[in-house]
Amino acid sequence: MNLIFFTVFAVCACFVNGQSNPCTPPGGGRGDCVSVYNCPVLLELINKKDRTTQDLELLKRSQCGYEGSAPAVCCPKKQPQPQPEGNCYTPEGNVGQCISLYSCAHLANMLKPPVPPENIAYVQKSKCEGSEQYSVCCGPKPDRTQQTTVIPSGNCNALMNANPPDPRTECCGVDSRVGNKIVGGNATTVDQYPWLVMIEYVQGTMTKLLCGGVLISGKYVLTAGHCVAGQVLTIGTPKRVRLGEYDISHEGPDCATVEAGGEDCTDGVTRILIEKIIPHPQYNPVSSLKRNDIALLRLKEAAPFTDFIRPICLPTKDLTAPENVPTNFTLFAAGWGAVSDRKSYSNVKLHVELPYVNPDKCQPVYSFPGRSVPLWKAQLCAGGVTGKDSCKGDSGGPLMYENGRTYEVIGIVSFGPVPCGMEGVPGVYSKVYEYLDWIKNTIVP
């Protein structure tokens, strides 16, 4: 932070004591007095290279105290924008209209007493970000008398739109391998984890592979915020995603021996342009807290559904909640990350088995000088086993849980120890369950 920034805020002698208080921004409307690091619109102004006197005056007029040692500003509240007709999805994946709950007769009727728990759950899943306090995605009236039909894999292409597939369709989280056991640190089979994505960055005439991601629908990839904002952009700009990859050392189909004997070969790589980059609005690339380190990439065209390209399922519940933690809670990370500190990536897709680490055991590890990061509810820890870890090059990739037949993405690789794979030092992941509402409200048809 430069001298001008501190000079602008030095005139204030009041404090906000770490709490957000209502205030009125210089331009009018409503705002909250918060740390400048939690106000992206003003933080962007501070980081602006060619600030004008008007910019400095706005910053000065926005000051409202301090939060600890950080200057506080009156951050304008973002007003919810009404969603036009046809840009939300119902729980079944049908296109609907984001309107008031009371204007959607069949959803309103579901809440007439006595109200079954499944009706409450359905209406909650129908929430959308509209202009009304209780906005829902109102589409075709659901047939509540029938269970969701499991769609055969051959018909899953019909669900490769923007909306993440319902896990009950088995059109997400199911790969085409049979009988393969995962062993930490080993190469995967060519058709394992078909939702893994590599992001191609372009700088001049150079194409670089710096981060991974995970396909969650036909049109969206989930990755880390630090893969699309901040320092990474000085190395290259995210331009394309690479799907169906196995061995990055050559182009064309990749072949590998399978357990049943013989060879299985991929279809070759599919590259799709990135249409829009959407970091979480509260992700701050210069903050040492590393919170909200998550982002979405909207693809310019829909990905196909094949043996080698498929979406993973979003989590169906918070597996880290004490009442939900599975016995022998084992997770899996996969990608093309480093296999040692001397190599930036692996040529072939790798995977590793990692134990879940409770926050009470993880936080002390990140409380030492030089590695002091107060963890919060939207982060989870896994690993801490010598030689087993997600590593550089895996950033943005998935931390997965095998829930019966399907895999769910419960974490996104955020940060960890240097060097990777240190005994007793788990890696830290953005907890996807905490971002389900943001993901749902951000995705558009």
Side-chain angles (χ1 to χ4, degrees):
M1 201 64 66
N2 58 37
L3 181 61
I4 294 176
F5 171 51
F6 283 116
T7 303
V8 168
F9 288 100
V11 296
C12 183
C14 52
F15 295 83
V16 297
N17 296 323
Q19 297 182 2
S20 61
N21 299 307
C23 58
T24 302
R30 295 184 300 166
D32 286 323
C33 187
V34 299
S35 165
V36 67
Y37 299 112
N38 293 327
C39 185
V41 63
L42 292 181
L43 187 63
E44 182 179 354
L45 198 60
I46 290 167
N47 293 328
K48 184 178 174 183
K49 293 181 179 179
D50 52 347
R51 283 188 303 268
T52 64
T53 54
Q54 291 84 358
D55 294 334
L56 293 174
E57 180 63 23
L58 175 61
L59 289 170
K60 184 176 179 180
R61 291 172 60 199
S62 297
Q63 58 81 26
C64 58
Y66 283 86
E67 185 174 314
S69 60
V73 294
C74 189
C75 191
K77 283 189 174 181
K78 183 179 179 181
Q79 299 298 318
Q81 298 297 318
Q83 294 188 352
E85 181 176 357
N87 72 340
C88 64
Y89 283 109
T90 68
E92 292 82 18
N94 297 315
V95 175
Q97 183 180 3
C98 191
I99 60 176
S100 167
L101 168 63
Y102 307 107
S103 298
C104 187
H106 64 268
L107 291 184
N109 288 335
M110 290 175 67
L111 298 180
K112 289 182 178 179
V115 187
E118 58 268 23
N119 282 16
I120 296 175
Y122 185 87
V123 173
Q124 288 176 336
K125 288 182 180 179
S126 300
K127 287 193 306 182
C128 59
E129 192 171 341
S131 58
E132 301 292 334
Q133 182 178 4
Y134 302 106
S135 294
V136 293
C137 191
C138 189
K141 184 177 180 180
D143 184 356
R144 307 292 289 168
T145 65
Q146 297 181 1
Q147 296 293 322
T148 300
T149 301
V150 175
I151 301 175
S153 295
N155 293 335
C156 288
N157 255 314
L159 295 184
M160 291 297 279
N161 51 38
N163 196 43
D166 187 319
R168 292 171 296 180
T169 65
E170 295 194 354
C171 289
C172 64
V174 180
D175 59 31
S176 59
R177 65 192 172 91
V178 178
N180 290 316
K181 292 293 185 181
I182 293 175
V183 180
N186 283 358
T188 69
T189 59
V190 294
D191 53 0
Q192 201 168 356
Y193 312 125
W195 35 82
L196 290 187
V197 169
M198 300 189 82
I199 302 174
E200 293 188 351
Y201 296 75
V202 174
Q203 186 177 59
T205 59
M206 296 285 292
T207 297
K208 305 176 182 180
L209 302 173
L210 304 175
C211 273
V214 61
L215 191 69
I216 60 169
S217 74
K219 293 276 284 185
Y220 283 88
V221 166
L222 199 58
T223 186
H226 73 266
C227 287
V228 299
Q231 184 66 28
V232 71
L233 299 182
T234 64
I235 306 174
T237 303
K239 288 295 184 181
R240 294 177 293 269
V241 297
R242 191 183 289 190
L243 307 168
E245 180 65 282
Y246 178 72
D247 186 343
I248 64 175
S249 65
H250 64 86
E251 290 288 335
D254 297 321
C255 299
T257 303
V258 296
E259 288 183 355
E263 277 190 334
D264 193 7
C265 298
T266 70
D267 301 325
V269 168
T270 296
R271 291 179 172 86
I272 300 180
L273 288 171
I274 297 170
E275 182 177 81
K276 189 175 183 181
I277 298 171
I278 315 167
H280 191 278
Q282 292 178 303
Y283 172 63
N284 179 2
V286 299
S287 171
S288 61
L289 296 178
K290 306 180 188 298
R291 294 180 175 179
N292 304 303
D293 188 10
I294 196 167
L296 283 167
L297 302 176
R298 180 177 170 88
L299 307 183
K300 192 167 185 179
E301 57 187 83
F305 186 95
T306 72
D307 282 349
F308 309 102
I309 302 174
R310 299 182 179 189
I312 195 172
C313 298
L314 293 174
T316 51
K317 62 182 178 181
D318 182 5
L319 292 171
T320 67
E323 66 275 14
N324 294 333
V325 176
T327 305
N328 299 322
F329 193 6
T330 301
L331 302 166
F332 305 96
W336 291 263
V339 293
S340 73
D341 289 312
R342 296 183 298 277
K343 190 172 182 180
S344 59
Y345 55 82
S346 163
N347 283 337
V348 298
K349 187 178 4 178
L350 300 176
H351 58 181
V352 65
E353 182 178 324
L354 301 171
Y356 168 70
V357 179
N358 187 285
D360 293 340
K361 293 184 178 180
C362 188
Q363 182 59 78
V365 177
Y366 285 95
S367 298
F368 291 108
R371 197 168 63 212
S372 181
V373 181
L375 305 177
W376 73 318
K377 65 175 184 177
Q379 290 169 320
L380 64 87
C381 300
V385 179
T386 302
K388 292 187 176 185
D389 202 355
S390 53
C391 204
K392 56 185 178 180
D394 288 322
S395 283
L399 183 68
M400 302 169 285
Y401 175 68
E402 191 172 12
N403 186 4
R405 283 175 50 87
T406 62
Y407 281 91
E408 299 178 356
V409 52
I410 74 162
I412 294 294
V413 179
S414 181
F415 67 95
V418 178
C420 312
M422 292 177 61
E423 181 70 26
V425 186
V428 180
Y429 301 76
S430 297
K431 187 161 75 170
V432 175
Y433 183 83
E434 295 290 339
Y435 297 99
L436 290 181
D437 285 345
W438 172 72
I439 292 170
K440 180 178 178 181
N441 291 328
T442 302
I443 285 176
V444 295

